[in-house]
Every structure is written in C-alpha cells, then in structure tokens.
C-alpha cells in the first residue's frame, strides 16, 4: 500500500533533517524527495516549523518505543535495566547511519530556549530522565532524580563524543561510570 502524501513528506523531511540539518534543508528538497510539491507539503504542514515539530515528535515516539523495548529485552530487574540503557545506546551509536541525536542537533540549531524546536528537544530529554528516574526509584534509590540526571549526562556525553569521533568507545566508558554511580547511590540507600 502506497504511503499517504503526509507520511511521505514527513519521512523525507526526517531523513533530510537528520542527515543534512534542519536549517540547511529546504522545503523544495523535502517535497522533491517525497515525490510531491510545495503546495501539498504546505497543505499538510502550514510552515517548515510545523514540519520540524512533527519530525521531532515522531522521532520521539519511535525512539522511545524502540528504546524501551530494547532495554526490556535485555534486562528484567530495574538495576539491570539502568545498565542495559548503555548497551542499547552503544549499539545505536555503532550503526553506520548514526549522525548524533536528532534532539541534541535540533537544540544546537535552535539554541533559544523559548523556540518551540528547542522546547520539543528539551522535552525529549526530560522524558528520558523521567524514565531513568522511575527505574532508579524502583531500585530503592533515595534520590532517583539525581541519579537520573547523572546517567542522562553520561548518555548525552557519549552521544556527542561518538558524533565527534566515531568508534570512540564512549558508550563503554559511560557504562563503566554508570555502574559506579548506581552502586554509590544503592549503597547510600541502605
């Protein structure tokens, strides 16, 4: 079954935004790659900003579902899931198509905090930290938000390190540091 024009446009935009950057990708290139035209693009997305927000929201949804499934398939206990996060991130960093985190990249292109693109990017990491915090709380950690922030910083750092220098081993180093942090927080809980 052929994809609907809206879906084709969103897929084309997603590929181009991720590979070339948001600001350097024009709507004409998106329409062309989608096998469409600008009039149809604007019918579904009244502005490029609307298309960027739709791209980020779709990326958030797809990544979150994939990520949680991957973590859950590797570990059953909350503590093991906290460490599995780094295994999943490490595998993602190794795929040839990896171009960094779409949300970090978008926030860098739209650095003003009040910009909707920046806000959607920040929401992604707020949700990511909340996921980690929930796992930490299930472990009985006294300050789960603190551990969540620390582990999130390790993940974000590994992503940027890998984006800057491929095959850097950043995810392995981040997992090692995460293990130390988790154990420290667990010992404080007892």
């Amino acid at each position: 079954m052929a994809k609907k024009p809206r879906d084709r446009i969103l897929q084309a935009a997603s590929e181009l935004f991720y590979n070339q950057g948001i600001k350097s990708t024009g709507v004409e290139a998106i329409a062309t790659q989608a096998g469409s035209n600008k009039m149809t693009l604007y019918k579904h997305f009244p502005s490029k900003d609307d298309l960027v927000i739709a791209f980020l929201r779709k990326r958030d949804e797809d990544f979150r579902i994939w990520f949680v499934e991957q973590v859950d398939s590797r570990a059953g206990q909350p503590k093991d899931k906290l460490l599995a996060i780094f295994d999943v991130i490490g595998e993602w960093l190794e795929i040839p198509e990896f171009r960094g985190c779409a949300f970090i990249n978008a926030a860098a292109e739209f650095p003003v905090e009040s910009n909707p693109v920046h806000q959607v990017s920040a929401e992604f990491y707020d949700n990511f930290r909340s996921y980690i915090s929930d796992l930490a709380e299930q472990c009985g950690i006294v300050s789960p938000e603190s551990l969540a922030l620390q582990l999130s910083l390790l993940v974000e750092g590994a992503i940027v390190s890998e984006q800057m220098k491929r095959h850097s081993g950043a995810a392995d180093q981040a997992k090692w540091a995460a293990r130390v942090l988790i154990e420290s927080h667990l010992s404080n809980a007892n």
Side-chain angles (χ1 to χ4, degrees), residues 3-36 41-42 44-45 47-59 102 106 109:
K3 286 187 176 182
K4 296 177 181 175
R6 184 186 193 286
D7 295 336
R8 286 195 327 268
I9 292 165
L10 187 54
Q11 181 178 345
S14 296
E15 291 168 9
L16 291 169
F17 289 157
Y18 185 66
N19 291 317
Q20 298 177 179
I22 295 168
K23 289 186 176 181
S24 64
T25 300
V27 293
E28 185 70 45
I30 295 166
T32 299
Q33 182 157 326
S36 187
L41 184 148
Y42 285 124
H44 294 283
F45 303 97
S47 71
K48 183 179 175 184
D49 288 347
D50 292 324
L51 182 55
V52 172
I53 298 297
F55 151 66
L56 291 172
R57 295 246 185 251
K58 177 82 168 112
R59 186 71 159 221
E109 286 195 66

Side-chain angles (χ1 to χ4, degrees), residues 129-145:
R129 281 188 289 280
S130 180
Y131 168 73
I132 296 171
S133 181
D134 288 346
L135 291 174
E137 188 172 8
Q138 292 171 36
C139 292
I141 289 173
V142 177
S143 55
E145 296 85 10

Side-chain angles (χ1 to χ4, degrees), residues 146-158:
S146 177
L147 179 61
L149 178 58
Q150 293 165 2
L151 297 182
S152 179
L153 290 170
L154 290 173
V155 168
E156 294 165 36

Side-chain angles (χ1 to χ4, degrees), residues 63-71 85 88-89 128 131:
F63 189 84
R64 189 174 332 123
I65 291 167
W66 171 82
F67 187 78
V68 171
E69 286 175 356
Q70 293 298 310
V71 169
I85 287 169
V88 174
I89 291 294
F128 183 68
Y131 168 73

